[in-house]
């Protein structure tokens, strides 16, 4: 049964799914949906995902969106996926669900809000919003602290103290990697002190070599372009603070 | 193996778990953690849930938080839970995960932000924040529209067109019910036009009778108290608009 992945490699959950498929030898066709070109708003794509977001998959006749639901489905539907990605044991599996659920309202929310409003908005022709960015940064910083103090444990290098990565490691490590697109000084200020997180991302990269690194290579040229847009925007007009004009 | 549920019935995900256990005849001990009394910040509760939120469960030695993870765990760990709550079929299950994931960043985010900043903040001695409430309302309204146009389908009364409710119906219907605590005119403005949603909540209530209704009875006296606090706050000082003083 053919599997199509509808992705934008600039989207962190898209990268998680792509990495997962490559590491697990799952065959697929990659269909590029470029968010910055608004390709997710085409009528054809609305047939795949009516929410008009990436990632989404079509497996035979079956359509699915939401990256965590997709990761769980792929780990369950394809034979040959090692148990550590999404354990059959009920309690181990429940802990993975707990991390994935927590991610939505914490790391994901903080990181996506911060990165969009400091940087990525420009790729969509929108102004930066420093007030919204500050709100996002607060949630991001608190989330990174919780990852270090709670989700990463001493028993093993991966989330929940596991000795091998799960789909939760992929989802959250791809989110942390998105911080590579912001100003280097901001990235260093936020991630620099987080030695445990940097080690965990490195461990995730190594456990999924060479795919994680290959798939993330898109970020660095994108960062250059975004930084140029930023320089141009700074010359043109003062940044929005979220106040009405 | 003893099951303890750590809940505040004023929390919508707590009510979803409580309803689920009662409907499915799962035996448990209810441990009340009153958020308005900050009982979730006690050192004892930090041992149960280091994130200091409700709901959480302890099943024998096993601790778990995040309400969706808990619902999935309970549906999987206890025999006698009918398949429609959390289907064994991979694709049906994947669709339930998709709704549950979508909920976090849409209905839940919009509803919780709107309700907290228009009403519930007062129970925590915090000022209302009309700017944050307006942001929440936008997400809430868009989410309700998507539930009507996409998640509720013609095939059956429940989410995804199902003929019987799943854990996703419970989670999202309990969220919609939380709107009963806001001003009646606001509740009517937001929910009044949503006939399909009102019918679905009613169907969920009927499918889980008498528990859903019994468990939600806490909301109406709480609304009266909150409205009194609101009247007092309005007399005392102007509401915050989120601007620095």
């Amino acid at each position: 049964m053919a599997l199509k992945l509808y992705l934008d490699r600039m989207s962190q959950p898209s990268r998680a799914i792509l990495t997962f498929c490559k590491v697990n030898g799952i065959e697929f066709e990659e269909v590029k949906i470029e968010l910055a070109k608004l390709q997710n708003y085409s009528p054809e794509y609305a047939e795949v995902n009516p929410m008009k977001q990436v990632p989404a998959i079509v497996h035979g006749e079956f359509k699915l969106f939401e990256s965590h639901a997709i990761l769980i489905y792929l780990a369950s539907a394809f034979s040959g996926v090692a148990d550590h990605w999404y354990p059959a044991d009920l309690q181990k599996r429940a802990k993975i669900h707990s991390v994935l659920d927590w991610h939505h309202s914490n790391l994901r929310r903080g990181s996506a809000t911060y990165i969009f409003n400091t940087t990525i908005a420009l790729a969509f022709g929108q102004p930066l919003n420093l007030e919204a960015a500050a709100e996002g940064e607060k949630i991001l910083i608190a989330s990174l602290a919780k990852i270090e103090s709670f989700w990463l444990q001493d028993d093993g290098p991966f989330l929940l103290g596991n000795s091998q990565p799960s789909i939760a490691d992929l989802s959250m490590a791809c989110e942390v990697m998105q911080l590579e697109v912001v100003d280097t000084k901001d990235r260093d200020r936020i991630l620099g002190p987080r030695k445990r997180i940097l080690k965990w991302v490195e461990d995730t990269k190594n456990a999924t070599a060479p795919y994680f690194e290959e798939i993330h290579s898109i970020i660095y040229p994108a960062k250059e372009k975004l930084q140029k847009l930023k320089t141009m925007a700074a010359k043109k007009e003062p940044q929005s603070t979220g106040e009405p004009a």
Side-chain angles (χ1 to χ4, degrees), chain A:
Chain A
M1 204 157 49
L3 175 67
K4 285 187 184 187
L5 308 182
Y6 294 79
L7 309 174
D8 183 332
R9 291 187 182 210
M10 279 307 295
S11 118
Q12 43 279 54
S14 290
R15 292 195 302 271
I17 286 168
L18 194 57
T19 307
F20 181 82
C21 287
K22 293 219 173 199
V23 169
N24 288 291
I26 295 172
E27 282 185 35
F28 61 88
E29 177 191 342
E30 181 178 353
V31 185
K32 289 187 181 167
I33 302 293
E34 286 191 60
L35 299 176
K37 292 186 181 162
L38 308 180
Q39 291 174 348
N40 52 315
Y41 292 105
S42 75
E44 295 77 30
Y45 191 61
E47 291 292 312
V48 174
N49 181 359
M51 301 299 178
K52 302 173 184 172
Q53 292 175 320
V54 291
I57 67 167
V58 178
H59 186 210
E61 298 295 309
F62 180 65
K63 294 171 186 173
L64 189 65
F65 59 87
E66 283 292 338
S67 69
H68 293 170
I70 293 171
L71 286 166
I72 291 173
Y73 174 75
L74 295 173
S76 310
F78 287 82
S79 59
V81 174
D83 187 72
H84 61 84
W85 289 108
Y86 184 60
D89 176 85
L90 276 189
Q91 296 189 342
K92 286 184 185 165
R93 180 171 282 198
K95 291 284 191 185
I96 307 276
H97 291 153
S98 178
V99 187
L100 290 171
D101 286 332
W102 178 87
H103 178 45
H104 283 290
S105 313
N106 292 279
L107 178 63
R108 171 72 179 157
R109 180 170 172 183
S111 158
T113 305
Y114 175 73
I115 296 171
F116 186 84
N117 289 293
T118 53
T119 312
I120 293 201
L122 296 173
F124 294 87
Q126 293 181 30
L128 303 183
N129 182 332
L130 301 186
E131 194 185 14
E135 273 304 300
E137 186 175 337
K138 260 191 252 170
I139 301 173
L140 169 59
I141 298 280
S143 302
L144 294 171
K146 279 287 179 202
I147 294 173
E148 288 207 327
S149 69
F150 182 71
W151 293 119
L152 291 169
Q153 297 166 7
D154 289 336
D155 327 18
F158 297 103
L159 296 170
L160 300 162
N162 290 337
S163 59
Q164 290 180 287
S166 75
I167 54 174
D169 291 276
L170 267 188
S171 177
M172 296 208 337
C174 288
E175 192 67 53
V176 170
M177 282 299 293
Q178 196 78 350
L179 281 165
E180 298 298 328
V181 304
V182 307
D183 286 357
T184 305
K185 68 170 178 18
D186 292 321
R187 181 265 179 217
D188 289 351
R189 176 174 51 83
I190 293 169
L191 279 184
R194 299 290 170 194
K195 304 296 180 209
R196 187 80 182 79
I197 287 182
L198 293 170
K199 164 97 172 48
W200 157 68
V201 172
E202 192 66 20
D203 287 336
T204 304
K205 187 182 90 181
N206 292 335
T208 56
Y211 305 111
F212 188 92
E213 193 166 11
E214 256 175 44
I215 289 164
H216 282 85
S217 65
I218 195 170
I219 288 188
Y220 304 96
K223 175 179 179 159
E224 274 188 44
K225 276 191 205 164
L226 286 162
Q227 294 303 321
K228 275 183 200 161
L229 285 175
K230 214 162 178 174
T231 310
M232 280 163 59
K235 279 182 192 163
K236 225 161 98 188
E237 53 182 350
Q239 289 160 348
S240 162
T241 61
E243 299 301 301

